[in-house]
Amino acid sequence: MTEKREYRMEELAGLAGITVRTLRFYRERKLIPPPRREGRIAWYDDHHLARLRTIAALLERGHTLNGIAELADAFDHGRDVGDLLGLGEPTEETPVRLTPEELAARFEGEVTPENLAAAMDLGYLGTDGDELVHISHRLLEVSSALVREGIPLGEVLRAGARVREHADALADLFADLILRHAPERELHRLRPLARSVVEAELSLALDRRTRKPTDSA
């Protein structure tokens, strides 16, 4: 088990590459959590160091201190990873751990407090210490690809919420079908069939949506 390290203000500032005055300013702006007090001595830990490095990375990417303060507040009050994963990790999707600066790099300029809160409410993101956890590597890749194509992240998240509603309805339909003809234990074994049906029907629906009408004679 890694021993928890603690630092005095001067040492923390040196490790973070900032001045003590800047550290005090960040603390006053509530960009970092309060230190542990032992008499008149303030003790900081690796959580504070990680937050300071995140602030530096976000500043380099053009975020303002006001924006970072709002992000920090959303981050500190976000859903815990335990709430995100519920009873266990997804059976087929792979969760992804990200630092806040890595998330900002994937969605350049789109990681606002509103979008962060929306992603947490939707169940895409949770927090684990100084890291963020995305529920699905596939959803993360698709979302970032859509944003790179010029679609605002807020609209991607709103579309995701609508897709979630339809996906829940489809899952209920499939579960009801199976449970009327087989025991509940067969649900897990047969779920690839349900996914194949949905993928095929979506592919056909996209064909119908994008197919150009033939010219009439």
Side-chain angles (χ1 to χ4, degrees), residues 97-195:
R97 290 181 175 272
L98 300 156
T99 63
E101 57 266 34
E102 287 172 340
L103 186 70
R106 279 180 174 267
F107 300 96
E108 196 70 47
E110 293 282 322
V111 183
T112 63
E114 294 78 15
N115 286 339
L116 187 61
M120 288 177 169
D121 289 342
L122 187 55
Y124 282 178
L125 286 177
T127 60
D128 187 14
D130 290 298
E131 288 186 314
L132 290 161
V133 179
H134 196 290
I135 194 70
S136 166
H137 179 266
R138 286 198 295 179
L139 285 175
L140 177 62
E141 291 297 320
V142 170
S143 298
S144 58
L146 289 171
V147 170
R148 286 195 301 272
E149 292 294 329
I151 302 175
L153 180 56
E155 292 192 29
V156 172
L157 292 171
R158 284 190 288 275
R162 294 184 62 188
V163 169
R164 171 73 57 81
E165 294 175 1
H166 293 295
D168 284 342
L170 290 169
D172 287 342
L173 186 154
F174 175 76
D176 180 67
L177 173 66
I178 296 303
L179 292 177
R180 280 191 282 111
H181 301 281
E184 187 172 355
R185 63 176 179 272
E186 295 298 307
L187 274 174
H188 182 78
R189 185 176 67 84
L190 297 177
R191 61 182 288 168
L193 299 179
R195 189 175 66 185

